[in-house]
Amino acid sequence: MRFGIVLQTDPPAWSVVDLMRRAEALGFTHGWTFDSCVLWQEPFVIHSQILAATDRLIVGPMVTNPSTRDWSVTASTFATLNEMFGNRTVCGIGRGDSALRVTGGKPNTLATLESAIGVIRDLAEGREADVDGTPVRLPWVRDGALPVWMGAYGPRALDLAGRVADGVIIQLADPLLTRWMVEHVRDAARNAGRDPDAITVCAAAPAYVGQDLDHARNQCRWFGGMVGNHVADLVRRYGADSDAVPAALTDYIRGRDGYDYSHHGRADNASTDFVPDEIVDRFCLLGPPEAHRDKLAELHDAGVHQFAAYAMHDAVESTVEEYGRSIIPEPA
């Protein structure tokens, strides 16, 4: 199993670069950042400095979206970084959440997302793409390679990931739900004539190494609130009691009452009162190193190739160090 670290691009930007550099030295293979340019600093500027400060780390957003940048700009940005640093980027992309909702927008349709994935990947890899009826190509791209990993939760999104994406990002670490999602993606890939084994599966969730479980839960409870935004969309689409989505994913948001994006991804997020300890334990990796290793083994058995640790709490440095010291060296 490979390991990534996920950071918010809070100022000072150089602290993000420094932590990514240290993570690479500790054995992390991927460096991810949020992409919500109102709430945090512009990630792609920082990505260039992360790539310059590291030798092997693969860098990308978790996740960008089709709306906040023109697709040709997104493709050109990735292609430029790859030309400078040697094909070390990955495009994590989804329908859009905080980047759009914080300015009053709405997530994109899956049809728009599918089109964006094709155009961005084709342009970044040097192929011609149809952009609003106009054939477009980046003539300066040579030997470009851009894997596109799609964030997904619900059946239709998982189907799309299986049909068109190079990887899928599952933003939780519940082995039961992860297995259901992975099987859905693999079935969709198989039905589309693709090799399901060629699709990378990345599970992304908070990781907190420590003995005080109550404190760790409270530091990571925000994640249940963030996931709840996506689950609420699924409930609106499929219904609260639909067989299309497991009750193990949807039941916990029955007490949800809105969400404050000004605290998005923060340990002090007040919009998480509805998230019980059980959900935090299921969705996150908490406790001593052996508890992390045990759960990572379960995730590996469920089909996960990479675990990306959200590092948004009061023990970021010690957790990253502990992963490098006693968890990454003993892969699942």
Side-chain angles (χ1 to χ4, degrees):
M1 181 180 285
R2 292 190 170 193
F3 291 85
I5 181 173
V6 189
L7 300 177
Q8 294 164 340
T9 52
D10 288 313
W14 289 113
S15 67
V16 178
V17 176
D18 183 61
L19 188 53
M20 291 288 191
R21 179 186 58 76
R22 291 166 57 195
E24 180 187 60
L26 288 165
F28 288 84
T29 60
H30 288 67
W32 303 92
T33 70
F34 279 23
D35 179 12
S36 190
C37 58
V38 172
L39 297 176
W40 300 285
Q41 293 180 315
E42 167 59 30
F44 287 105
V45 175
I46 299 172
H47 289 177
S48 69
Q49 296 300 318
I50 295 170
L51 288 161
T54 56
D55 297 316
R56 302 170 306 282
L57 199 71
I58 298 170
V59 178
M62 188 177 281
V63 292
T64 193
N65 66 84
S67 292
T68 51
R69 299 175 189 83
D70 184 90
W71 302 351
S72 63
V73 172
T74 299
S76 181
T77 299
F78 279 112
T80 301
L81 292 173
N82 283 338
E83 191 278 328
M84 293 176 70
F85 301 105
N87 288 341
R88 287 170 51 206
T89 66
V90 55
C91 176
I93 192 168
R95 294 173 59 223
D97 182 36
S98 63
L100 302 178
R101 285 174 160 143
V102 77
T103 55
K106 296 180 180 179
N108 292 272
T109 65
L110 288 175
T112 297
L113 178 57
E114 179 173 5
S115 297
I117 288 173
V119 168
I120 291 168
R121 182 168 50 203
D122 281 347
L123 291 178
E125 294 186 342
R127 294 184 295 276
E128 184 179 283
D130 183 296
V131 180
D132 295 329
T134 299
V136 177
R137 181 175 170 271
L138 303 181
W140 46 269
V141 174
R142 298 289 184 274
D143 301 317
L146 181 66
V148 179
W149 295 8
M150 180 185 148
Y153 283 105
R156 292 178 63 240
L158 294 166
D159 284 346
L160 177 58
R163 287 192 293 105
V164 305
D166 302 295
V168 61
I169 298 171
I170 298 170
Q171 293 186 46
L172 48 77
D174 181 309
L176 176 67
L177 291 172
T178 297
R179 187 178 299 277
W180 173 79
M181 292 177 178
V182 170
E183 290 175 354
H184 211 106
V185 169
R186 292 173 64 86
D187 285 345
R190 200 175 289 112
N191 291 337
R194 303 180 70 200
D195 178 4
D197 292 331
I199 300 174
T200 302
V201 178
C202 174
Y208 193 114
V209 180
Q211 298 293 335
D212 188 339
L213 277 178
D214 286 338
H215 182 75
R217 287 177 182 128
N218 287 330
Q219 284 291 305
C220 298
R221 200 174 303 276
W222 63 267
F223 185 66
M226 186 183 84
V227 173
N229 294 325
H230 303 287
V231 175
D233 285 343
L234 296 180
V235 169
R236 281 190 289 269
R237 173 173 292 277
Y238 296 101
D241 300 310
S242 171
D243 292 335
V245 183
L249 179 60
T250 59
D251 277 354
Y252 86 99
I253 71 159
R254 293 182 189 274
R256 179 180 181 270
D257 183 23
Y259 188 81
D260 181 359
Y261 276 92
S262 66
H263 297 281
H264 187 61
R266 306 288 190 188
D268 64 353
N269 193 324
S271 304
T272 58
D273 291 346
F274 68 96
V275 182
D277 288 351
E278 177 204 358
I279 288 294
V280 183
D281 292 347
R282 282 173 43 202
F283 286 10
C284 305
L285 274 73
L286 313 174
E290 55 268 25
H292 290 247
R293 288 194 291 266
D294 289 346
K295 193 162 189 179
L296 287 166
E298 291 185 74
L299 291 171
H300 182 265
D301 288 344
V304 172
H305 303 106
Q306 178 187 148
F307 173 65
Y310 279 113
M312 295 118 194
H313 46 62
D314 65 359
V316 171
E317 294 194 8
S318 62
T319 292
V320 170
E321 293 285 343
E322 192 62 52
Y323 260 70
R325 186 164 42 242
S326 64
I327 297 173
I328 292 176
E330 298 185 33

